[in-house]
Amino acid sequence: MATDVKVPAMGESVTQAILLKWHKKDGDRVAVDEPLVEMETDKANADINAEVAGVIRHVRKEGETVSVGDVIARIDGAGAPVTAPATSVPATTAKAEANELSPAVQRMITENRLDPATIKATGPGGRLTKEDVTNHLEAKKAAPVAARPAPEQVQPMPQEREKPISGKTAAPMGATPSKKPATMDFDGSGVHREPMTKLRKRIAENLIRAQDTAAILTTFNEVDMSAVFDLRAKYKDRFNEVHGIGLGLMSFFVRACVLALKEFPRVNAFIEGDDVVFHNYVHMGIAVSTERGLAVPVMRNAQDMSFARIEAEIKRLATATRDGKLGIDELSGGTFTITNGGVFGSLLSTPIINPPQSGILGMHSIQKRPVAIGDKVEIRPMMYVALSYDHRLVDGRDSVSFLVRLKQLVEDPARLMLEV
């Protein structure tokens, strides 16, 4: 009996997708939960996995535009059972195989070097869920430091290795360095034409919508990064030793924004019709530049995260963005956004808000500049920061005060810990 492989619902407002790439050729044998095909939507790329084992027969071709509910393949379940291919996950997998780990859970287990057999499963049929893994990680974080085994060293990301004082900053999370442009075929008039991707179209629509529907204004300030650099230099090795991950710069700004948004909740609110929708949580969007265009993965409930958890989530989102493996739900629901143009050398910019959000923080390159410290002039590593906000909801007082508060928190990192 053949089972249809259909295009699933892929997120709010997504009705069509492009069949980007078949992972399995026509006639290949497939296992349950094995990735079959990569779909490109106007929000992200996503894989469709096999629900049954058998032999796959393609119905649609690569490059075709399909709609939610369309049949793109069929799996003939007749014949010998198909087993899942071996993975690099440690082989204490009797429980993992029984649970048939979903791709999202498998990624979390692999990235955090976990043994699935040690995690309590609460999903249907004894399956592990993302919440189970998250709870397990939180329990490990809460354990006394002395009781933890020494974690494997994780190679720090570029922004954690470099000291961006001279203006040479590292690539942002998930971004790839500039590559030599691919060779283009130009016609006799010197023109090359190619269709826009769905993602690029979506970006264009969002930017126009933001400009058309919001009263966007930008306010600026500057931050002395000396204290953050001193703190990282003093504790980054110990931080890596204890938590198994590098201590970057973005976590300081995420944490500072979380605290500032608590004091100025309108910057974290939406306008819906005639209502103002406030949030008692911060779902932090972090803009990431990729070869396909801009993506803004969302770090959910950032207000509940420790520095180590923030760094781990940044790394996870970076990897998923780079590999085109973000889930649709990881690209929606943000309440505030941070974008870092400084990694490309930008000294100052006016970022555009991401509707329906009311604010976005722009970080910029860090440069040594002479500044007045008391009655003396000193050379300090300085960063300009910008807050673009929807003036329909956020007044100048709140926007300026938000940036002043962020400046206080980053320039005196002890405030981030004490929340004062």
Side-chain angles (χ1 to χ4, degrees), residues 271-286:
I271 291 178
E272 282 188 5
D274 294 330
D275 296 330
V276 177
V277 181
F278 292 92
H279 307 95
N280 67 351
Y281 54 84
V282 178
H283 290 347
M284 186 69 72
I286 305 211

Side-chain angles (χ1 to χ4, degrees), residues 12 15 21 40 55 57 63 68 101 138 147 159 170 172 197 216 252 258 277 284 290 341 346 373 375 378 392 406 417:
E12 182 183 359
T15 59
K21 179 184 178 182
E40 181 187 69
V55 176
R57 299 296 179 187
V68 172
L101 301 179
E138 286 296 325
Q159 81 170 40
T197 64
I216 302 176
F252 289 89
V258 165
V277 181
M284 186 69 72
T290 72
S346 171
I373 305 297
D375 294 330
E378 298 184 12
R392 297 177 303 164
L406 179 135
M417 315 302 174

Side-chain angles (χ1 to χ4, degrees), residues 114-332:
L114 300 176
D115 177 1
T118 64
I119 304 174
K120 182 180 179 181
T122 62
R127 290 172 65 96
L128 280 177
T129 67
K130 291 175 66 175
E131 289 73 19
D132 295 334
V133 181
T134 299
N135 291 338
H136 181 78
L137 290 170
E138 286 296 325
K140 289 182 65 177
K141 293 288 193 303
V145 172
R148 298 178 190 159
E152 293 184 38
Q153 294 296 309
V154 177
Q155 183 67 21
M157 296 175 64
Q159 81 170 40
E160 297 159 355
R161 291 197 303 268
E162 296 186 11
K163 297 180 179 179
I165 300 178
S166 63
K168 295 182 179 180
T169 51
M173 50 170 279
T176 52
S178 299
K179 295 182 178 180
K180 184 178 180 180
T183 302
M184 295 182 180
D185 296 324
F186 294 91
D187 61 22
S189 63
V191 172
H192 171 82
R193 186 184 299 271
E194 62 184 24
M196 290 178 69
T197 64
K198 293 182 75 68
L199 178 60
R200 178 56 61 183
K201 288 180 182 178
R202 180 72 175 199
I203 292 170
E205 291 168 0
N206 282 344
L207 293 177
I208 293 298
R209 181 160 64 96
Q211 298 280 33
D212 287 346
T213 61
I216 302 176
L217 195 63
T218 305
T219 186
F220 305 93
N221 213 314
E222 63 178 353
V223 177
D224 183 347
M225 299 296 295
S226 300
V228 169
F229 284 171
D230 291 344
L231 188 67
R232 289 180 70 238
K234 185 176 181 179
Y235 292 111
K236 65 179 180 180
D237 291 340
R238 178 59 178 161
F239 187 90
N240 198 333
E241 178 185 343
V242 172
H243 300 292
I245 195 158
L247 178 60
L249 297 178
M250 182 62 77
S251 55
F252 289 89
F253 283 88
V254 170
R255 187 64 185 154
C257 283
V258 165
L259 296 181
L261 289 170
K262 285 184 180 180
E263 297 183 33
F264 305 98
R266 284 182 174 270
V267 186
N268 195 45
F270 299 164
I271 291 178
E272 282 188 5
D274 294 330
D275 296 330
V276 177
V277 181
F278 292 92
H279 307 95
N280 67 351
Y281 54 84
V282 178
H283 290 347
M284 186 69 72
I286 305 211
V288 180
S289 177
T290 72
E291 291 182 354
R292 295 179 58 248
L294 188 70
V296 187
V298 176
M299 185 184 301
R300 293 199 175 323
N301 294 309
Q303 77 283 352
D304 296 331
M305 293 185 181
S306 64
F307 266 71
R309 179 74 186 281
I310 290 172
E311 290 291 351
E313 186 68 357
I314 287 174
K315 182 178 168 99
R316 185 188 71 80
L317 292 173
T319 301
T321 303
R322 182 174 59 249
D323 295 340
K325 301 299 182 182
L326 283 172
I328 297 297
D329 61 335
E330 294 178 303
L331 285 162
S332 58

